[in-house]
Amino acid sequence: MGVVTVDFDGTLYQGNSFKVMFQTANQSFGLKQWTVVASGVVKAAAAGVVKGKNAFRLAFFSAFARSFKGMAEAELDTFFHRLVDIGKQDAHHDLIHKIRDHERQGDHIIVLSGALQPFLKAFTQELALDVHIISTELAFDENGVCTGNIGSIINGDEKVNHVQAWINQQMRLGNLTEEEAGETWAYADSESDVPLFQFVKHPIVVNPDDGMKKIAVQQGWPVFG
């Protein structure tokens, strides 16, 4: 048994999460919410040009989070389940079969992603996957109402930090042995996942672009499928 991490965008989910969020918002949002999102997306695009993909992702998710301000968890569950209804056709079914193999072997599986946590919860529930989720969190107040804020984006080195912290916690609780903690896997797709690939014992590259294929060949990392 071991610890298996699975990236979401481009890996478990082969569609475009930004696109389906827009599609779902188009069905659900009023003018006020659209104004918040539109303003944020313009800022996100500008940030992406100047500072890169991670800055775009942060600004994009922050814009949507602001549009969720004042919504209860039940309302958000409805939104994110609509998101899943649109996006589930783009699930990576071969990888899902592999995850189920890991489940049967008793591995601890973590969906590890910068995507918003409610989306991942709804998506993995739809697929009936028994997984832990480490991802970008929406903030709620003591009454379960969204504050419009998000936590840190779980990307790059942050993935390694959070996985290591999770492993340490599970070992302290007695849920994970030292042997299991050393048997680590990562399924992911992009160059931002290189720190994670270097951290785990078994790096598996999924759906790589040309740049990532080159890195995989150089490092001797297998490509899934």
Side-chain angles (χ1 to χ4, degrees):
M1 294 191 293
V3 177
V4 179
T5 68
V6 183
D7 176 51
F8 186 69
D9 281 311
T11 305
L12 179 58
Y13 178 62
Q14 299 178 102
N16 186 320
S17 62
F18 300 112
K19 181 178 178 180
V20 295
M21 286 187 77
F22 270 117
Q23 289 177 306
T24 307
N26 188 45
Q27 298 173 4
S28 308
F29 282 2
L31 178 60
K32 183 178 178 180
Q33 288 172 300
W34 262 119
T35 301
V36 171
V37 170
S39 175
V41 169
V42 171
K43 293 177 181 177
V49 170
V50 176
K51 298 180 180 179
K53 183 178 179 180
N54 289 340
F56 170 81
R57 182 185 290 262
L58 173 60
F60 182 88
F61 286 151
S62 294
F64 264 89
R66 288 193 297 274
S67 74
F68 297 145
K69 184 176 180 179
M71 295 176 67
E73 291 187 65
E75 293 177 90
L76 284 169
D77 283 345
T78 299
F79 175 87
F80 284 106
H81 276 93
R82 286 176 180 167
L83 199 63
V84 171
D85 286 340
I86 295 173
K88 64 185 178 183
Q89 63 184 0
D90 292 315
H92 193 324
H93 291 285
D94 288 341
L95 182 56
I96 291 169
H97 292 317
K98 186 64 178 178
I99 292 170
R100 298 203 192 284
D101 287 341
H102 282 291
E103 287 180 337
R104 285 189 286 271
Q105 292 167 17
D107 292 325
H108 304 266
I109 302 165
I110 303 170
V111 174
L112 180 67
S113 171
L116 293 176
Q117 192 168 99
F119 183 22
L120 300 189
K121 285 183 177 179
F123 200 92
T124 54
Q125 286 172 1
E126 176 69 25
L127 299 177
L129 294 175
D130 183 15
V131 299
H132 307 281
I133 295 174
I134 299 175
S135 63
T136 303
E137 296 183 359
L138 277 174
F140 293 87
D141 65 18
E142 64 275 8
N143 297 314
V145 176
C146 183
T147 66
N149 298 316
I150 62 172
S152 60
I153 298 289
I154 308 301
N155 195 58
D157 290 329
E158 280 295 301
K159 286 189 174 182
V160 176
N161 295 339
H162 278 74
V163 170
Q164 185 65 75
W166 184 88
I167 288 173
N168 292 342
Q169 180 189 48
Q170 296 305 308
M171 291 180 69
R172 286 194 301 271
L173 294 172
N175 297 329
L176 197 66
T177 67
E178 187 172 345
E179 182 180 0
E180 290 171 336
E183 193 68 17
T184 50
W185 301 68
Y187 293 87
D189 71 305
S190 70
E191 293 183 38
S192 66
D193 295 303
V194 167
L196 181 64
F197 286 139
Q198 293 173 332
F199 171 74
V200 300
K201 184 177 180 180
H202 303 287
I204 310 292
V205 182
V206 182
N207 294 335
D209 61 17
D210 290 340
M212 192 62 221
K213 283 181 184 177
K214 184 177 180 180
I215 293 172
V217 170
Q218 290 172 343
Q219 297 293 328
W221 295 336
V223 174
F224 182 80

